Amino acid sequence: MAAQVTGSGGWRGWRAATQDALYGTDGFYRRPEGPAGHFRTSVHASPLFAGAVARLLCEVDEALGRPASLDFVDVAAGRGELVTGVLAALPADVAARTRAYAVEIAARPAGLDRRVEWLPEPPPEVNGLLFANEWLDNVPVEVAEVDSAGTARRVLVRGDGSERLGEPVSGAEAEWLARWWPLAGEEGLRAEIGLPRDTAWASAVARVGRGLAVAVDYAHTADARPPFGTLTGYREGRETTPVPDGSCDLTAHVALDACAQAGAPALSPSAPRLLSQREALHALGVTGARPPLALASTDPAAYVRALASAGEAAELTAAGGLGDFAWLLQPVGIADPLAPPR
């Protein structure tokens, strides 16, 4: 529980502290090793993930009528691992029509495929697939905590990670809490105020003229909010105490149901849909099924390759692990390409 304080004295909200720690001049996401040096995402776990995203792009391509120019936008691109894998996995005819964009604040990495345009924000109009893998969890948010009187107050933090309570949450932030994450009057309950993520996602979706926007993140919904929030840190592959000094990643799970409503286009034949990564990847052909044992005797090398692929697929779809990521699918002007057949 944070202690209550009035005034500033070097204290500030988690949103401002996280913004500087992650994206400031010497911030975590500007470090040369990139995110892969500190945590393992689906992109790094297996090329099967990029292959699945490539298949999703092909589905969007078909829904758009195979246009002369097809956009793929990789938001929070890290060092370009996903966009590189997607381009490599695309059929030649689709790759020839694809305009690839990587959106990241860090400098363009050396040796990146020349076909990839490196941008600090998404292009103004996207006709194709905008894919944001583990982006929204790093959009900085304020943290609220209930005090001894039952009032939700902003949590203030210093550079060493120590916390105190500040002013009561008010205005649009209080309205967001009331709508999406109401806190009972029990002292110590916490929430991350997801309003900046709603705004960021709505802005990204607004750039999609026709196509599909996808956000992939650890998430929660209104029926199962965590009572004490999820703010944490990661450093060198291990979870650690969140300290806003630029030495570690700072992340919190995403209220994707709120993002879905904020980003829903006014005119679209399909509503936004939330599904697990396990469900999404299964729909895209990544199942983790073991190869038939008979293949071991007829083609041992092929069996070993297939077995390795099945192991990677199992990791991507595992309950309690990467399979628990949530996918928010937001179609714009097209039907949901992963909707089950009627």
Side-chain angles (χ1 to χ4, degrees):
M1 183 184 71
Q4 187 171 333
V5 69
T6 56
S8 56
W11 301 86
R12 53 183 176 164
W14 267 105
R15 185 181 180 191
T18 300
Q19 182 68 35
D20 285 350
L22 296 184
Y23 307 116
T25 303
D26 299 314
F28 178 83
Y29 277 97
R30 297 188 187 275
R31 296 171 62 153
E33 71 271 20
H38 294 269
F39 49 87
R40 180 178 172 86
T41 71
S42 298
V43 178
H44 308 123
S46 170
L48 292 175
F49 188 81
V53 176
R55 285 191 289 278
L56 181 57
L57 180 58
C58 289
E59 294 285 348
V60 172
D61 182 43
E62 291 293 334
L64 293 174
R66 297 175 57 80
S69 181
L70 176 69
D71 295 328
F72 175 66
V73 182
D74 178 11
V75 181
R79 297 302 179 263
E81 298 94 339
L82 178 60
V83 67
T84 299
V86 168
L87 286 174
L90 286 174
D93 64 312
V94 180
R97 293 182 287 109
T98 297
R99 295 186 302 182
Y101 302 91
V103 179
E104 185 56 75
I105 65 159
R108 181 188 182 99
L112 184 67
D113 192 314
R114 293 182 179 179
R115 293 175 292 175
V116 179
E117 187 172 349
W118 195 264
L119 299 173
E121 61 182 35
E125 183 170 353
V126 178
N127 291 289
L129 174 60
L130 181 145
F131 198 89
N133 186 58
E134 297 193 51
W135 169 48
L136 291 173
D137 67 308
N138 289 128
V139 173
V141 293
E142 298 291 1
V143 177
E145 182 178 316
V146 178
D147 68 9
S148 58
T151 300
R153 293 181 175 272
R154 188 188 308 271
V155 176
L156 306 181
V157 63
R158 290 194 302 199
D160 63 0
S162 56
E163 293 182 337
R164 292 182 177 179
L165 295 188
E167 69 280 7
V169 177
S170 61
E173 292 180 342
E175 293 173 5
W176 189 94
L177 278 180
R179 169 66 180 86
W180 293 107
W181 198 333
L183 290 170
E186 182 181 344
E187 184 179 7
L189 293 181
R190 288 169 69 117
E192 290 100 29
I193 305 173
L195 187 60
R197 294 167 173 180
D198 295 357
T199 302
W201 181 243
S203 176
V205 174
R207 295 174 185 245
V208 181
R210 290 185 70 222
L212 179 68
V214 178
V216 181
D217 255 304
Y218 280 125
H220 44 68
T221 53
D223 58 346
R225 302 286 189 220
F228 303 106
T230 60
L231 178 67
T232 191
Y234 284 93
R235 181 188 297 114
E236 297 178 355
R238 295 181 181 274
E239 189 170 5
T240 185
T241 302
V243 177
D245 62 358
S247 68
C248 65
D249 185 28
L250 298 170
T251 177
H253 294 190
V254 183
L256 273 183
D257 49 350
C259 294
Q261 181 166 308
L267 298 174
S268 184
S270 297
R273 188 160 63 103
L274 281 169
L275 62 166
S276 70
Q277 175 154 297
R278 181 182 181 85
E279 294 169 316
L281 291 184
H282 280 184
L284 291 165
V286 180
T287 65
R290 293 173 64 90
L293 190 58
L295 184 62
S297 57
T298 59
D299 191 341
Y303 177 78
V304 170
R305 290 194 300 270
L307 193 62
S309 179
E312 293 175 3
E315 180 183 2
L316 289 172
T317 59
L322 296 176
D324 289 345
F325 273 91
W327 286 41
L328 167 58
L329 275 65
Q330 202 119 33
V332 181
I334 64 171
D336 182 344
L338 293 188
R342 294 182 178 179

